[in-house]
């Protein structure tokens, strides 16, 4: 990746609806050159997809929570992962180091649906020994924008 690729990524992350023509004007390349660079970034897996960011509350998802899940043994990780992938209210699932085995970010309708997710679903998965939940009161920052590593900016590029 060169500086132009990094600039393209920054522009697309800031506004994914920006047209290739608009991007080409901002980076000083022709529209076909921008299209080719974007295609290559997609092919290399740097750009993994495109999505609209939405206001969860306006879709009836009033509760955001982080759930730490402890799994008794790694042999249960695969089964846990398969079940979590099928849960639409789980937005993110990360296997982590520390006290928990997994950390989940959840958006759900209300405390009743959160309770059902915890007691009726997560705690019934084989291997789950404990969960602990933190309910979000307000969010001061949420973003999907990933800035490149400082080593990329300093010229040590893969």
């Amino acid at each position: 990746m060169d500086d132009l690729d990094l600039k393209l990524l920054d522009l697309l992350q800031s506004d994914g609806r920006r047209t290739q023509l608009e991007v080409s004007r901002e980076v000083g390349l022709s529209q076909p050159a921008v299209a080719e660079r974007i295609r290559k970034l997609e092919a290399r897996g740097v750009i993994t997809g495109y999505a609209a960011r939405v206001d969860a509350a306006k879709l009836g998802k009033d509760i955001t929570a982080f759930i730490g899940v402890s799994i008794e043994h790694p042999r249960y990780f695969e089964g846990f992962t398969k079940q979590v992938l099928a849960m639409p209210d789980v937005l993110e699932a990360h296997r982590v180091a520390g006290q928990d085995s997994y950390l989940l970010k959840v958006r759900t309708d209300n405390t009743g649906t959160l309770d059902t997710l915890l007691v009726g679903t997560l705690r019934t998965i084989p291997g789950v020994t404990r969960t602990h939940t933190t309910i979000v009161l307000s969010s001061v920052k949420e973003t999907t924008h990933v800035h490149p590593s400082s080593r990329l900016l300093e010229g040590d590029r893969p």
Side-chain angles (χ1 to χ4, degrees):
M1 280 189 287
D2 61 15
D3 290 335
L4 283 172
D5 287 336
L6 296 176
K7 178 71 173 170
L8 286 172
L9 291 170
D10 185 57
L11 292 169
L12 290 173
Q13 287 185 93
S14 297
D15 181 3
R17 291 183 53 127
R18 191 177 308 213
T19 67
Q20 290 178 355
L21 187 57
E22 291 170 332
V23 172
S24 71
R25 290 181 184 135
E26 291 190 50
V27 298
L29 293 176
S30 68
Q31 182 275 325
V34 165
E36 179 63 14
R37 281 179 175 262
I38 291 171
R39 186 195 63 73
K40 286 179 180 177
L41 290 166
E42 292 168 342
R44 290 174 51 205
V46 177
I47 296 175
T48 59
Y50 300 88
R53 290 181 289 205
V54 300
D55 182 332
K58 290 182 180 175
L59 296 176
K61 302 296 182 178
D62 291 330
I63 299 290
T64 301
F66 291 92
I67 303 170
V69 181
S70 296
I71 307 283
E72 73 178 78
H73 191 275
R75 71 175 171 262
Y76 294 107
F77 287 176
E78 185 177 342
F80 177 81
T81 299
K82 284 180 182 176
Q83 291 201 42
V84 166
L85 288 172
M87 297 176 191
D89 282 353
V90 176
L91 301 183
E92 297 178 19
H94 308 275
R95 194 159 66 84
V96 297
Q99 181 177 351
D100 299 316
S101 305
Y102 288 86
L103 182 63
L104 310 179
K105 180 179 180 181
V106 172
R107 292 261 168 104
T108 191
D109 298 1
N110 52 51
T111 56
T113 57
L114 178 60
D115 185 49
T116 299
L117 177 69
L118 287 167
V119 177
T121 306
L122 286 174
R123 291 183 187 159
T124 66
I125 297 173
V128 172
T129 57
R130 182 178 74 72
T131 64
H132 68 90
T133 304
T134 302
I135 294 176
V136 173
L137 299 177
S138 66
S139 298
V140 295
K141 181 178 181 181
E142 282 188 286
T143 185
T144 60
H145 197 118
V146 178
H147 295 276
S149 168
S150 59
R151 74 173 198 280
L152 289 177
L153 298 173
E154 294 165 2
D156 181 21
R157 298 196 172 109

